[in-house]
Structures are given as structure tokens and as C-alpha cells.
């Protein structure tokens, strides 16, 4: 592992400080590309205009006509947190704007697979719907959209995933990544796309005189859901996404949130009044995702839709229980996947075992709902693009393996799958995704061909330097900033993918160390001559007396007293 410090442009830091930004924040923001204080303005007026997102105007007209004609609308969602929040935003928003008949359908991960398939389109048509609306899926559903059109359904696709070589022939496509779209925030989540469609619809309804600016429904009530889905989907937090998240956090901290979001905070033991992006990513998001992984995402969506606090708490407790089960399954799978991954290691010229350029593992006992999480754990452990496969549980598809992949910087996962598909025709039955996360399906008999083909692409694309894990940090931290109040200041900001949380690095003295819970390293350090406690989660190997650490600032509370501590992210020996 190599710890490197980000470049911090001093003139930009000075300019931000002169504009009134706290000196520590000025340094952190400048290192992340912020050049002026205006870029930190998270007001709604600073959001990108809806009419710059291709298809929103046409979608607004389509929906406004449907509402005027009292048509039945059915939303087809994805089974992850982004899909669940996008569905809840769609249902709530359309009802706010006058739609009287809005239902939803979420595919079963095991039985139905991903996206709008022809059988799902048939179910929507059989339900009596007039219009099918996809959220967080659909851009690759060429056959599903065609099946819906054959049944006479109008189809509106809202998605953010990368399109394939052929676009579905829907009535309207809204996707920032479709050809010809000039929307600047290419990283907007599926829930954000649906929110933008609703903004455009409200504007269209104003033009039609349904309501005016004073009487129009306030869609900002949906922003807590938009923020949750955006962070949970680990999309890049560009300026527009940061504004959406900041607006959602502001409302949650003020107590203005759907009953289900409040219940999820309670179930997770988190305090909504000081909500952070970490709560979205590590507490609420996993509980909603667990429903789609092990049970039925309808539970997660219903939790986000209900306005009954008692019902919300009941559903949140159920989601919490499912998430505990998910963690138990994940633990066993992770241990087995690590053993399988280590069996792929080869000995280099110096007799040191090293992982291959990419890792693909399969075990008949793996649960397909958890393969993505386990792939992420293996990727983090070995710093290699990783796919984990499980046998499909769908009837009649027992010989198919469903895989989920996670990547490292510099390796575009979906593009790699595309090349594997071209080199080995017929091996990949289906695939799709993003640069850092993707999914695919292969026949069990072709697993070894995929494994070798995927590793070959990684070997060609990844230079040796890219295979060495690097932690970017913000360098040393002055003693004057080692304060609890500044920890709270940092936590209030919006951090996440593409706008990394503050991580510092320095050489420290290790005074003592011990294992806690058999899997975490508890440390007593001397930092700049002063004692400080630290914890390195999921790390058991001892450290030398002096070591360079990468760490985040955190507040540890014990018996009502809050103390500063380091959360260790990595070490360079």
C-alpha cells in the first residue's frame, strides 16, 4: 500500500479563506477541485435546469396528458436502494401532482432478474395499466419495452445506466448518458433522474394552468429520499449531486422526512438530527438493500411510502432483521471467497505469492443476493477487479451463474465485459453496469473461460502501478484542528464517491495495540507528541513501533463523554 497526499493549490486555499471558508475546509475543498465559494452554494436555485436533461420535456407532456386523461400509471423499479427510493419518489411525486392511479412493481432478483423483461411487461399490462414507467432501469431493456408496446402500453424510461448498442423504442427516454444529452451531471442517480422528471412535469402543469407558483405542490419534500438513494448508489458526488444530497440532509436534520426514513434512523440507532452521508451509505442504505438481496424489495419501498409512523417502524424493524441475516450470510461467503481467491495466487520471481490481475470466484453454496457485497470485500482486500458468482435460483436457469463485479481505479468494468463478450462469443449471456460496478450472467460450463478471459483483459489494461493500492490523503493535520467541534464540522459536509471524506496521513508512534472483538485493532498512539486513541476496523495484523498511517477524525463516546480518535484507513510500512 502506498499513501500519497493530494495536491493542495495554495492560491485557491487563500481565495476560499478570504471568502470566509474555514481554513481547514478551504484546504480540503481546494484539494477536491473547488475553486470558488460559489461552487459550495447548495441552494436549490443552483441545481442544473431540468430542461437540459434530454427527454424531460417530452416526459412531462406525456405524464401531464396521462394525468388529464386519468390514466393508470405503473412504475417498474430496480431492487436496490436507488431503485427503491426512485420508486418512492415517483409514486409520491406523481400523486402530489394529481395522478390518481399510481402503482408499482419491483422484479424479484432471483425469479425475474434485472430490469424490464418481457414477462414483467406482460404483468404490468395484465394489471390494467395504461403507462409503464421505469426507474433506475430500462435503458438496456430493448425486448421488455418492445413487449410492453405490443400490449399497447405507453412507455417512459427513466434511467442513468450506460446504454448498450441499441436503445429501446420507448415513447420517451430520459437518461443523461443517452446519445445527444448535454446534461452536465452524467453521474446523477436513478432517483435523481426521476426527481428531475417530476420537476419538469410540475413546470408543464403550471403552463397548463393546473396550479400556479403559489399553489403548486412542494417537491422538496422528496429530497430526503433523493439524497438517500444518491449516496447509497455510490455515484460520483459532483456539484449537482452534492446539492441534492445537502438539501436532503438539511431537511432530515430539521425532522422533515418521510416516516420510513425516520424509522430507519431509529432502527439503525442513528440520530437523524445530526445525519451524515455516512448514515446513508452504511446504515440506511444497507437495510433497504437487504430486502432486495434476501427477501422482497416491496418491504423497502413500502417503508419509504407509508405515512403511518407505527407501520414505518414495523417495516424498519423487519428490514433491520433481514440486514442482520444478510450480514451472517455475507460473513460465511466472504471467508469462502477469500480462500477461493487465494487459490488463484501465483508465485512471482522472488517467491512471493501475488493475486492475478483480476479475480473471479464461484461456489455452489453462494447466495446470489450477496455476491456484490462479497465482491466489494474481495476487491478491497486484494486491490483487484473482482467478480463473485452464484448459481441462479430462477426456475429452469439452474445452470446459469449470476455474477456481480467491483473494480479499482483505472479499470472500466463494463467496457471490460464488452471486450470479453467480443473475444468469447456466447460466454456472456447478459451484462451491464458502470465503470466501477457491473453484473453479468454466464453458463456454468463457461465459467472458466470467463475467468481467464476477464483476467486477460485486466492484465492488458492494468499497469503494475495500478495494481498497487493507493490511499489519497490530505497530508498532516495541525494540532489546532484536533478538536471535537471540528469533527462535527467535517461530518456536516457532504462527502462520498468522487468527493472523498477527509483523510489525513502522518508518521506516528505506536504506544500499545490490542485486538478487540477478535477482528479490530485498537491502538494507543503518540501523534505530534500527544497521546491519541485509534481503531482500525477489520484489521488484525500488528503494527511496528513507528508507522505512517492514513486516518480519519472521529468522535468516540463513552459514558456520555466524547473524545477524539483516529479511524485508521491504511498503513505504509
Amino acid at each position: 500500500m502506498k499513501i500519497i497526499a493530494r495536491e493542495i493549490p495554495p492560491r485557491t486555499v487563500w481565495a476560499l479563506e478570504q471568502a470566509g471558508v474555514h481554513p481547514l475546509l478551504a484546504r480540503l475543498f481546494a484539494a477536491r477541485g473547488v475553486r470558488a465559494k460559489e461552487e459550495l452554494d447548495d441552494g436549490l436555485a443552483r441545481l442544473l435546469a431540468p430542461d437540459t436533461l434530454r427527454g424531460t420535456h417530452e416526459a412531462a407532456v406525456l405524464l401531464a396528458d396521462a394525468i388529464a386523461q386519468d390514466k393508470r400509471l405503473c412504475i417498474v423499479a430496480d431492487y436496490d436502494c436507488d431503485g427503491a427510493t426512485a420508486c418512492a419518489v415517483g409514486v409520491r411525486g406523481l400523486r402530489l401532482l394529481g395522478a390518481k392511479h399510481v402503482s408499482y412493481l419491483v422484479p424479484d432478483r432471483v425469479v425475474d432478474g434485472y430490469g424490464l423483461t418481457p414477462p414483467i411487461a406482460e404483468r404490468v399490462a395484465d394489471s390494467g395499466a395504461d403507462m409503464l414507467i421505469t426507474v433506475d432501469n430500462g435503458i438496456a431493456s430493448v425486448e421488455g419495452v418492445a413487449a410492453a408496446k405490443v400490449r399497447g402500453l405507453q412507455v417512459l424510461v427513466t434511467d442513468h445506466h450506460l446504454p448498450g448498442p441499441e436503445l429501446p423504442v420507448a415513447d420517451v427516454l430520459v437518461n443523461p448518458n443517452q446519445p445527444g444529452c448535454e446534461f452536465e451531471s452524467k453521474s446523477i442517480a436513478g432517483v435523481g433522474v426521476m426527481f428531475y422528471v417530476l420537476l419538469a412535469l410540475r413546470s408543464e402543469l403550471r403552463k397548463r394552468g393546473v396550479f400556479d407558483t403559489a399553489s403548486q405542490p412542494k417537491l422538496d419534500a422528496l429530497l430526503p429520499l433523493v439524497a438517500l438513494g444518491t449516496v447509497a448508489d455510490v455515484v460520483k458526488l459532483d456539484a449537482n449531486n452534492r446539492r441534492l444530497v445537502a438539501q436532503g440532509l438539511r431537511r432530515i436534520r430539521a425532522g422533515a422526512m418521510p416516516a420510513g426514513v425516520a424509522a430507519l434512523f431509529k432502527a439503525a440507532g442513528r440520530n437523524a438530527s445530526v445525519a451524515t452521508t455516512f448514515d446513508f451509505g452504511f446504515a440506511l442504505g444497507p437495510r433497504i438493500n437487504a430486502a432486495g438481496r434476501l427477501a422482497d424489495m416491496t418491504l423497502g419501498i413500502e417503508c419509504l411510502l407509508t405515512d403511518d409512523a407505527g407501520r414505518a417502524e414495523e417495516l424498519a424493524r423487519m428490514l433491520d432483521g433481514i440486514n442482520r441475516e444478510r450480514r451472517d450470510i455475507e460473513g460465511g461467503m466472504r471467508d469462502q471467497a477469500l480462500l477461493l481467491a487465494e487459490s488463484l495466487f501465483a508465485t512471482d520471481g522472488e517467491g512471493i505469492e501475488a493475486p492475478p490481475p483480476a479475480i473471479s470466484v464461484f461456489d455452489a453454496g453462494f447466495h446470489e443476493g450477496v455476491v456484490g457485497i462479497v465482491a466489494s470485500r474481495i476487491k478491497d482486500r486484494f486491490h483487484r477487479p473482482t467478480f463473485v458468482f452464484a448459481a441462479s435460483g430462477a426456475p429452469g436457469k439452474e445452470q446459469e451463474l449470476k455474477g456481480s463485479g467491483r473494480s479499482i481505479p483505472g479499470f472500466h468494468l463494463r467496457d471490460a465485459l464488452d471486450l470479453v463478450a467480443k473475444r468469447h462469443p456466447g460466454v456472456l449471456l447478459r451484462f451491464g453496469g458502470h465503470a466501477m460496478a457491473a453484473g453479468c450472467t454466464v453458463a456454468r460450463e463457461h465459467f472458466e473461460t470467463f475467468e481467464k478471459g476477464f483476467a486477460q483483459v485486466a492484465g492488458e489494461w492494468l499497469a503494475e502501478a495500478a495494481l498497487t493500492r493507493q490511499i489519497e490523503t490530505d497530508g498532516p493535520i495541525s494540532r489546532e484542528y484536533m478538536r471535537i467541534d471540528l469533527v462535527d464540522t467535517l461530518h456536516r459536509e457532504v462527502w462520498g464517491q468522487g468527493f472523498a471524506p477527509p483523510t489525513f496521513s502522518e508518521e506516528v508512534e505506536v504506544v500499545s495495540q490490542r485486538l478487540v472483538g477478535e477482528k479490530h485493532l485498537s491502538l494507543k498512539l503518540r501523534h505530534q507528541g500527544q497521546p491519541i486513541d485509534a481503531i482500525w476496523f477489520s484489521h488484525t495484523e500488528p503494527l511496528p513501533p513507528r508507522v505512517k498511517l492514513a486516518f480519519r477524525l472521529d468522535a468516540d463516546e463513552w459514558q456520555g463523554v466524547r473524545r477524539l480518535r483516529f479511524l485508521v484507513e491504511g498503513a505504509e510500512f
Side-chain angles (χ1 to χ4, degrees), residues 531-550:
I532 184 78
D533 289 341
I535 184 81
W536 192 346
F537 290 115
S538 301
H539 183 89
T540 58
E541 299 170 10
L543 298 176
R546 293 199 66 84
V547 63
K548 184 177 183 180
L549 294 181

Side-chain angles (χ1 to χ4, degrees), residues 106-186:
V106 57
D108 182 284
R109 180 189 292 266
V110 174
V111 177
D112 301 308
Y114 172 77
L116 174 62
T117 61
I120 291 291
E122 293 290 341
R123 284 164 58 186
V124 173
D126 291 343
S127 74
D130 302 302
M131 182 186 296
L132 187 158
I133 304 165
T134 71
V135 291
D136 192 33
N137 75 97
I139 197 64
S141 303
V142 175
E143 294 178 355
V145 170
K149 295 299 293 179
V150 167
R151 288 295 303 271
L153 290 168
Q154 291 181 299
V155 181
L156 164 59
V157 169
T158 76
D159 199 356
H160 70 127
H161 294 93
L162 297 173
E166 182 182 359
L167 294 176
V169 186
D171 291 87
V172 180
L173 294 176
V174 185
N175 183 330
N177 292 300
Q178 68 177 303
C181 183
E182 298 180 358
F183 192 67
E184 291 179 17
S185 181
K186 300 297 183 184

Side-chain angles (χ1 to χ4, degrees), residues 3 8 17 25 68 72 95 98 120 124 150 170 197 239 275 289 328 347 392 397 427 457 488 495 503 505 522 546:
I3 296 175
I8 303 173
E17 287 183 14
L25 288 175
R72 296 182 178 275
R95 288 173 179 170
I120 291 291
V124 173
V150 167
V197 168
N289 277 327
D328 290 341
T347 303
S392 173
K397 295 188 177 181
V427 167
V457 173
D488 295 335
W495 313 103
T503 304
S505 57
S522 176
R546 293 199 66 84

Side-chain angles (χ1 to χ4, degrees), residues 425-437:
V427 167
L428 281 167
L429 303 177
R430 291 175 293 280
F431 70 90
H434 299 292
M436 303 303 288

Side-chain angles (χ1 to χ4, degrees), residues 127-354:
S127 74
D130 302 302
M131 182 186 296
L132 187 158
I133 304 165
T134 71
V135 291
D136 192 33
N137 75 97
I139 197 64
S141 303
V142 175
E143 294 178 355
V145 170
K149 295 299 293 179
V150 167
R151 288 295 303 271
L153 290 168
Q154 291 181 299
V155 181
L156 164 59
V157 169
T158 76
D159 199 356
H160 70 127
H161 294 93
L162 297 173
E166 182 182 359
L167 294 176
V169 186
D171 291 87
V172 180
L173 294 176
V174 185
N175 183 330
N177 292 300
Q178 68 177 303
C181 183
E182 298 180 358
F183 192 67
E184 291 179 17
S185 181
K186 300 297 183 184
S187 299
I188 192 170
V191 65
V193 175
M194 188 64 220
F195 181 68
Y196 263 77
V197 168
L198 294 172
L199 290 176
L201 172 58
R202 187 176 64 175
S203 176
E204 176 65 21
L205 292 173
R206 278 201 313 269
K207 291 178 185 176
R208 298 185 182 197
V210 176
F211 37 65
D212 57 24
T213 304
S215 63
Q216 68 181 6
K218 296 189 180 302
L219 297 178
D220 59 356
L222 304 173
L223 285 165
L225 296 172
V226 176
L228 169 57
T230 298
V231 174
D233 210 45
V234 202
V235 296
K236 180 182 177 182
L237 292 186
D238 58 25
N240 204 63
N241 281 339
R242 291 204 310 278
R243 291 184 183 108
L244 290 170
V245 173
Q247 287 288 333
L249 280 172
R250 183 173 301 166
R251 284 157 178 78
I252 289 172
R253 291 167 184 164
M257 71 193 104
V261 174
L264 286 166
F265 269 98
K266 183 176 179 180
R270 302 295 181 105
N271 185 353
S273 68
V274 289
T276 69
T277 51
F278 296 98
D279 294 321
F280 290 156
F282 298 102
L284 276 67
R287 282 167 171 78
I288 294 174
N289 277 327
R293 295 184 188 282
L294 300 186
D296 181 356
M297 184 48 93
T298 300
L299 291 172
I301 295 172
E302 284 299 311
C303 183
L304 300 177
L305 284 177
T306 184
D307 292 319
D308 183 316
R311 175 64 173 155
E313 289 195 9
E314 178 187 358
L315 290 166
R317 284 194 298 270
M318 292 174 65
L319 292 170
D320 185 60
I322 296 169
N323 191 51
R324 293 176 191 275
E325 180 186 357
R326 185 271 304 169
R327 284 201 294 259
D328 290 341
I329 294 172
E330 178 199 334
M333 279 180 58
R334 182 183 62 244
D335 293 344
Q336 177 63 11
L338 284 169
L339 290 174
L340 291 169
E342 288 171 351
S343 73
L344 302 173
F345 283 24
T347 303
D348 64 17
E350 299 178 359
I352 300 174
E353 285 195 336

Side-chain angles (χ1 to χ4, degrees), residues 465-487:
L467 295 174
T468 300
R469 174 176 300 175
Q470 294 184 344
I471 294 183
E472 272 196 314
T473 77
D474 298 288
I477 182 167
S478 302
R479 290 295 307 177
E480 64 180 305
Y481 297 138
M482 300 278 287
R483 308 195 313 263
I484 287 289
D485 64 307
L486 277 180
V487 172

